Amino acid sequence: MAELPEETTNTVLNLERGLLKIVHQAKATEFAIAQRYGETEATSIDLDQLQNIKERADTYYSRFYRLLRQIAEIQPTATPAMLDLLDRSIAEAEATLDALAASTQEIKRDWNIR
């Protein structure tokens, strides 16, 4: 594996953990709303938004998985372009993670879901 700084690897793994949590929360909230209120005109906007939140989190998670796998196969060191892509992906995910979590929490509050 091309050697990544331990801090970078830990950052990516922590982001993946957070992204998985968002996927779970979005799907659990979607399920709770659908079970309690059904799929109606009133719920459809938030159900769609929860699906979008899940997909965005899943996209970042998948990107990190692919990047780490590609970097693991590169010898002896990762290319500057690959490292730049990883750095940009980290920055984007960090900026997006809290927004996705906040959006999910807001929908939960709106529908009184715990």
Side-chain angles (χ1 to χ4, degrees):
M1 174 174 175
E3 202 61 39
L4 284 176
E6 187 172 340
E7 181 180 341
T8 301
T9 302
N10 288 338
T11 297
V12 171
L13 295 176
N14 287 333
L15 284 168
E16 284 181 324
R17 186 177 303 114
L19 292 164
L20 282 176
K21 184 176 179 181
I22 287 172
V23 168
H24 169 72
Q25 289 175 345
K27 290 304 289 182
T29 304
E30 183 181 359
F31 179 78
I33 291 171
Q35 286 291 355
R36 188 177 298 169
Y37 303 102
E39 292 187 36
T40 67
E41 189 174 322
T43 62
S44 67
I45 292 171
D46 286 333
L47 293 173
D48 288 345
Q49 186 175 358
L50 288 163
Q51 180 65 25
N52 185 36
I53 289 167
K54 186 215 63 95
E55 288 173 2
R56 288 182 66 195
D58 189 51
T59 296
Y60 282 107
Y61 183 88
S62 297
R63 182 184 304 167
F64 284 131
Y65 172 78
R66 285 190 313 274
L67 280 170
L68 288 181
R69 288 276 300 154
Q70 289 173 345
I71 290 170
E73 293 178 4
I74 296 172
Q75 292 300 322
T77 60
T79 64
M82 186 69 70
L83 294 175
D84 183 54
L85 182 57
L86 181 61
D87 287 341
R88 283 188 286 130
S89 295
I90 288 170
E92 289 174 16
E94 287 175 335
T96 303
L97 192 70
D98 290 337
L100 295 176
S103 294
T104 303
Q105 291 304 314
E106 181 180 338
I107 292 169
K108 287 172 79 169
R109 276 192 305 277
D110 289 348
W111 293 99
N112 198 28
I113 304 291
R114 296 181 196 257

